[in-house]
Amino acid sequence: MADTFFTQWEPGFINAEFDHDASLLAEIGDLMWVDAAENNLKPATSFADLGSAALTQRAFASRFAGVANSKQLSTDTTARNCRVVIDHVYDFTCTSDTYTVGDYVAPTYSAGLADQSLEKVTDPTRAIGRVVKRYGSAPTKVKVRLISSIFRGV
């Protein structure tokens, strides 16, 4: 997917900086997770599929770093600085469903996680954010507040 930054306000109010994983494509707007073993950030599609949406989303949520605000090319063998927005409100692509204020969202799961798409979940342990706008019909984008689990409560 091309670089898509979904924010409605100026980016960068609440940022953190890590390193990208060298030679792994990461686009602006990707949902990023912390790989503690390698001490870097990776996009959601590189998160191991644990066999079900519940298991995979729950594990991802505990490692969610934020939304990428910088890009790493797959051809770039040097790990570049990775800026992520750790707490922000976005208009994010979503699966077709009914959404209302307070609904939990997680990365879309289909035999693995999507980098730039969300779906509604009912289990808060699987969530990386919450819906902040009510919708009368099934939207293709949803306004959500996404919050890094790494920095939550700091």
Side-chain angles (χ1 to χ4, degrees):
M1 177 173 259
D3 291 338
T4 307
F5 201 73
F6 303 100
T7 188
Q8 290 190 346
W9 297 285
E10 291 183 16
F13 290 121
I14 304 174
N15 278 309
E17 293 189 15
F18 297 87
D19 286 328
H20 279 285
D21 187 25
S23 301
L24 182 63
L25 178 65
E27 305 276 357
I28 294 171
D30 282 356
L31 301 168
M32 304 294 285
W33 62 283
V34 175
D35 183 340
E38 296 185 21
N39 197 29
N40 60 25
L41 293 187
K42 297 179 179 179
T45 52
S46 68
F47 196 81
D49 182 1
L50 301 177
S52 72
L55 291 174
T56 306
Q57 289 169 332
R58 187 174 295 114
F60 179 85
S62 70
R63 295 172 182 84
F64 177 58
V67 178
N69 195 15
S70 60
K71 181 176 187 168
Q72 174 81 25
L73 300 175
S74 60
T75 56
D76 195 345
T77 58
T78 303
R80 303 290 179 197
N81 182 265
C82 179
R83 292 182 314 276
V84 290
V85 181
I86 62 175
D87 184 349
H88 206 68
V89 175
Y90 300 90
D91 276 331
F92 230 87
T93 301
C94 64
T95 58
S96 182
D97 205 335
T98 56
Y99 294 89
T100 192
V101 174
D103 284 346
Y104 295 107
V105 292
T108 301
Y109 177 87
S110 178
L113 298 176
D115 285 334
Q116 295 189 8
S117 178
L118 300 172
E119 67 185 7
K120 182 166 73 171
V121 295
T122 56
D123 180 356
T125 66
R126 294 165 59 182
I128 61 170
R130 295 184 91 163
V131 175
V132 296
K133 181 180 176 183
R134 182 181 140 335
Y135 294 88
S137 60
T140 57
K141 287 193 174 197
V142 64
K143 186 178 274 191
V144 293
R145 180 178 182 200
L146 301 181
I147 305 170
S148 168
S149 62
I150 306 301
F151 296 104
R152 187 178 297 145
V154 174

